[in-house]
């Protein structure tokens, strides 16, 4: 282990008696770049922020998209000045008012996952009201409660207004 990391661990352990995480941002960045090199830059990389919003500003510089699963994550991205074109709005647990605000602020710049027919109906209605096409990505189910089954996915794919 790098002496710099050992020093950081010792310094942190000296000032806290609670568990903590230590992230090496240089290694994080290099891992992203290594994936790009090894795929010949063919892979489009998406960073799922989850509970690591402190990694997001660096990730936004290195990846194609930032996956935002909650309204709170969306607010963090906006506060940090992340371009809406970098955002992939994901997850089904957004309230209609939250999704409306996101679409009003990001419109067709962001991407949106469709994980339920209810979510698709909300996105379709928001797009209709704005007279704007939204870029959607269909999440297919693997047999669990998440995502669309084949019939629902075909309905979304064939939908036109």
């Amino acid at each position: 282990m790098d002496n710099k990391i050992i020093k950081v661990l010792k310094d942190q352990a000296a000032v806290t008696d609670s568990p903590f995480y230590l992230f090496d941002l240089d290694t994080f960045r290099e891992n992203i770049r290594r994936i790009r090199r090894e795929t010949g830059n063919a892979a489009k990389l998406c960073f799922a922020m989850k509970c690591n919003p402190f990694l997001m500003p660096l990730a936004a510089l290195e990846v194609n998209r930032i996956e935002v699963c909650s309204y709170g994550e969306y607010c963090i991205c906006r506060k940090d000045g992340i371009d809406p074109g970098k955002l992939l709005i994901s997850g089904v647990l957004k309230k209609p008012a939250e999704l409306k605000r996101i679409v009003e602020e990001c419109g067709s710049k962001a991407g949106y996952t469709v994980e339920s027919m209810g979510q698709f109906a909300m996105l379709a209605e928001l797009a209709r009201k704005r007279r704007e096409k939204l870029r959607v990505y269909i999440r297919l189910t693997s047999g669990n409660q998440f995502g669309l089954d084949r019939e629902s996915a075909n309905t979304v794919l064939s939908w036109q207004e």
Side-chain angles (χ1 to χ4, degrees), residues 66-106:
I66 303 291
E67 181 188 31
V68 173
C69 290
S70 71
Y71 189 69
E73 289 179 2
Y74 170 75
C75 291
I76 290 168
C77 287
R78 299 305 291 148
K79 178 183 72 63
D80 285 350
I82 302 301
D83 185 296
K86 280 267 190 187
L87 301 180
L88 175 62
I89 310 302
S90 185
V92 294
L93 297 178
K94 278 172 253 6
K95 297 174 183 158
E98 294 170 347
L99 189 56
K100 180 178 186 267
R101 180 157 182 206
I102 292 170
V103 171
E104 286 172 350
E105 293 177 3
C106 297

Side-chain angles (χ1 to χ4, degrees), residues 10-55:
K10 285 181 178 180
D11 291 349
Q12 185 63 33
V15 297
T16 185
D17 59 355
S18 64
F20 60 90
Y21 290 99
L22 175 67
F23 290 89
D24 183 333
L25 297 180
D26 293 333
T27 299
F28 177 66
R29 179 186 303 110
E30 183 49 38
N31 284 338
I32 293 170
R33 290 178 178 178
R34 181 177 44 81
I35 291 168
R36 286 212 183 278
R37 282 191 310 273
E38 290 181 10
T39 63
N41 289 322
K44 301 295 183 202
L45 302 180
C46 183
F47 175 70
M49 182 189 325
K50 304 294 182 210
C51 60
N52 298 306
F54 49 89
L55 294 173

Side-chain angles (χ1 to χ4, degrees), residues 28 75 96 110 136 146 148:
F28 177 66
C75 291
V136 297
F146 301 109
L148 299 177

